[in-house]
Amino acid sequence: MGIQITPSILNADFAHLGEEVARIPGADWVHVDVMDNHFVPNLTFGPTMVEALSRATSVPLDAHLMIEDPDREAMAYVEAGCRSVTFHVEAAKAPVRLARQLRSAGVRASMALKPATPIEPYEDLLPELDTVLVMTVEPGFGGQPFLDLCLPKIRRTRALIERHGGQIWLQVDGGISPQTIERCAEAGADVFVAGSAVYSAENPDAMVTHLRALAEAACSG
C-alpha cells in the first residue's frame, strides 16, 4: 500500500472547494472534516456539500465524522459519494455494527481515537476495521500544534495491527507537517492527514509530494 497523503480541506477556501481540491492532484485521498458543533465545538460540512464535492473531483473522499451520532448519520456520507467513512469510537454506540454496515456498502470502515483514548480496549474491533485514525490533536479545529504524547500510542497501535495481520491502515491527523511527519512514520503510521501544511504552502501539490518523500524516507531509514 505504501505511504498515503490525505490533505484536509478544513483549511481550504470553503467557497471554492472544487478548485481547492484541483490544486492537489497528487493527493491519495481528500479528508473531509464533518463537525456538528456538539461532539466538537465547530460546525463544517454536511452530506449535501460532500456530495457536491464528490462530483467535482476524482480523488476519493474520506469523511471524518466528528459528530454526536455517527450510527445514524454515517450512511448519508456513503450515499454522498465517500469511499471511506471514519467514526469516533467515543461517539459510536454500536461500533461493530457500524463498521459492518460501512463495509457492506463497499466503503472503508475507519475508527478514530481522540488523543486521550487508548487503543488497547478496542483491540478486538480491529478485524472489523480497514483503518484506525489516531488523532494527534484534539479534534475540532485546524492549525493546532502536534501532540508528541500521541507517538507511543501510534507505536502501540501499529503493534496491535501487526498482531492481527497488518492489513489495516494506520492514519494520523493533527499538526502533520514537514517537522512532524517523519516521527509519525517512524512510529508506524502510513496514512497522513495534513491541512494547514498543504493549504498554507505556495504550491499545495508540491507540499503533498514533499510530505510523501519525507515519510517514505523515514520508513526506509
Side-chain angles (χ1 to χ4, degrees):
M1 186 275 296
I3 297 297
Q4 298 188 72
I5 305 297
T6 306
S8 166
I9 57 172
L10 187 61
N11 297 95
D13 181 351
F14 284 13
H16 302 94
L17 285 180
E19 293 93 329
E20 291 284 73
V21 172
R23 298 172 69 201
I24 50 168
D28 297 286
W29 293 77
V30 172
H31 190 84
V32 182
D33 291 296
V34 177
M35 306 182 193
D36 64 357
N37 207 31
H38 294 285
F39 182 69
V40 294
N42 199 357
L43 184 65
T44 57
F45 312 101
T48 302
M49 186 175 288
V50 173
E51 183 178 6
L53 182 60
S54 72
R55 293 197 302 267
T57 181
S58 60
V59 182
L61 305 183
D62 174 21
H64 178 189
L65 305 184
M66 290 170 273
I67 61 177
E68 204 167 54
D69 194 358
D71 303 77
R72 185 168 60 90
E73 303 290 341
M75 295 309 292
Y77 292 90
V78 177
E79 294 165 7
C82 294
R83 299 262 299 278
S84 173
V85 175
T86 302
F87 61 87
H88 269 267
V89 73
E90 302 92 349
K93 299 175 182 65
V96 172
R97 182 175 63 196
L98 178 53
R100 290 181 177 181
Q101 284 178 333
L102 293 169
R103 281 179 151 184
S104 67
V107 305
R108 296 185 65 84
S110 174
M111 179 183 75
L113 305 167
K114 295 168 71 173
T117 303
I119 182 62
E120 287 77 11
Y122 305 104
E123 179 179 358
D124 290 345
L125 272 67
L126 292 178
E128 306 289 342
L129 301 169
D130 300 297
T131 307
V132 174
L133 168 56
V134 174
M135 292 295 299
T136 45
V137 299
E138 291 293 341
F141 294 93
Q144 298 182 65
F146 178 81
L147 295 174
D148 284 277
L149 60 85
C150 297
L151 288 168
K153 184 164 73 172
I154 296 170
R155 295 189 186 96
R156 296 195 305 271
T157 304
R158 170 54 63 191
L160 292 178
I161 288 172
E162 295 301 327
R163 186 183 303 171
H164 286 271
Q167 298 304 307
I168 301 167
W169 296 354
L170 177 49
Q171 185 178 61
V172 288
D173 178 5
I176 303 302
S177 71
Q179 290 72 45
T180 60
I181 193 168
E182 292 168 297
R183 279 176 277 164
C184 293
E186 290 165 355
D190 48 22
V191 183
F192 302 88
V193 178
S196 301
V198 170
Y199 278 106
S200 65
E202 184 176 344
N203 184 332
D205 202 51
M207 178 57 72
V208 169
T209 300
H210 181 49
L211 290 170
R212 182 180 287 108
L214 289 172
E216 289 174 346
C219 288
S220 61

